[in-house]
Amino acid sequence: MPSRLGAVADLAAVSDGEQPVWLALGEDGTISRWDMATGHHEAVATTTVPDEPDHDPWNDRPLRRRLHASHDGMFAAVVNDYGRFGEVIDLRTGEVTLDLENEGYETETVPFSLAFGQSQGRCVVIHRTDWNRLDVSDPQTGLLLTDRSIPVPPEEGPLPEHYLDYFHGALYVSPDGKRILDDGWIWHPIGVPSVWDLSPWFETNVWESEDGPSRVDVCDRGYYWNSAMTWIDSVRVAVEGIGEDDSVMRPGARIFDTSRTGQYEMAVELLVIAGPTGPFFSDGSRLFSCGDAGLSIWDPVEGKLLGEVPGLSPTHHHPDARQFLQLGDGVVRLWTA
């Protein structure tokens, strides 16, 4: 890694044709644009997200800085995963356009819910504003696009319409930009990843993320969330872990078709693959898993192991450049599919 880039806390891939361009978040808060092919890098902004010194880690998950980027690299978001605060920055001006805050309830149990998406040709940012609420905003102006009032439930009696008893977690936008996967959980602690369509939520139904007709639960696992998961394509998702709860969980991947529902109105399970562990990535046809021994490549249709890259455990994936990158101790290890 270029020495003048400094110590890097996180990376985020951005699209620039087939060039492997990344945004790098320095431990000092500097955000740089880094062209890995040429080695050129330049500072484009500085984050001012506050520290949270009173944070109490839960389940060995310390607070960490996380960098997100819009696909075109025009906007970035820096958030405190497992924390309360974040911000959106316009990288063309370096200005903070939106201060992020999620009210702090049970934030230590999940990464800060955030993802960039597209609506009618413009960039939008999806972010957690409360434990059971996601919102969509314009990253350029900070304008809220999903204004709605969620009523407080009574101590007794039926829950109000649209009330969602769900702790939102890490967010993953599908490769075609049309759907979102949410690694959230419900009480009494059960991990329940869910999926819904983005376009209705942005354009016609502000309640789509709560109880819209496109919302589908993928599966449920007792005391088990914050696990590896990825979109395979615009329909299929891969979820790490084989078992009903954390006490019996075995390494592996479960493949689901989120366009169809089966038992208990959950997504149809297509395949179980024993073995895949660690972070999951996909190139649209293959599943990549990143265990301690290295990178493994799987066929998500037949479940076969297609290949291995020993000694490489990627932390980041650049879909456009087909790069798998392992970041650590000032060194980048790289493999191109």
Side-chain angles (χ1 to χ4, degrees), residues 143-302:
L143 178 66
L144 177 65
L145 303 177
T146 48
D147 188 22
R148 64 205 189 279
S149 178
I150 299 178
V152 177
E155 293 185 4
E156 297 182 2
L159 294 175
E161 185 181 14
H162 304 306
Y163 183 79
L164 180 66
D165 189 10
Y166 184 87
F167 294 83
H168 293 291
L171 303 178
Y172 305 84
V173 175
S174 62
D176 62 2
K178 294 181 179 180
R179 311 184 79 198
I180 193 162
L181 170 64
D182 186 344
D183 183 17
W185 63 281
I186 62 174
W187 189 262
H188 188 45
I190 301 174
V192 185
S194 60
V195 169
W196 65 93
D197 292 347
L198 293 179
S199 292
W201 189 28
F202 297 164
E203 299 164 12
T204 58
N205 180 22
V206 293
W207 302 105
E208 195 70 28
S209 62
E210 278 82 22
D211 54 11
S214 70
R215 184 181 172 99
V216 175
D217 291 337
V218 178
C219 61
D220 56 23
R221 289 93 58 82
Y223 293 87
Y224 203 74
W225 64 95
N226 291 335
S227 63
M229 58 183 62
T230 187
W231 288 93
I232 300 295
D233 49 33
S234 60
V235 170
R236 294 175 296 163
V237 298
V239 176
E240 181 268 332
I242 302 172
E244 295 182 356
D245 61 63
D246 64 341
S247 66
V248 296
M249 201 63 63
R250 295 177 288 115
R254 299 170 66 186
I255 312 298
F256 294 90
D257 181 346
T258 63
S259 68
R260 298 184 291 149
T261 57
Q263 190 177 24
Y264 308 118
E265 296 300 313
M266 290 190 172
V268 172
E269 188 167 10
L270 301 175
L271 184 68
V272 176
I273 309 173
T277 60
F280 284 176
F281 305 105
S282 178
D283 62 359
S285 61
R286 297 172 293 180
L287 172 66
F288 297 83
S289 67
C290 312
D292 293 337
L295 178 67
S296 300
I297 310 165
W298 304 84
D299 181 341
V301 176
E302 298 184 0

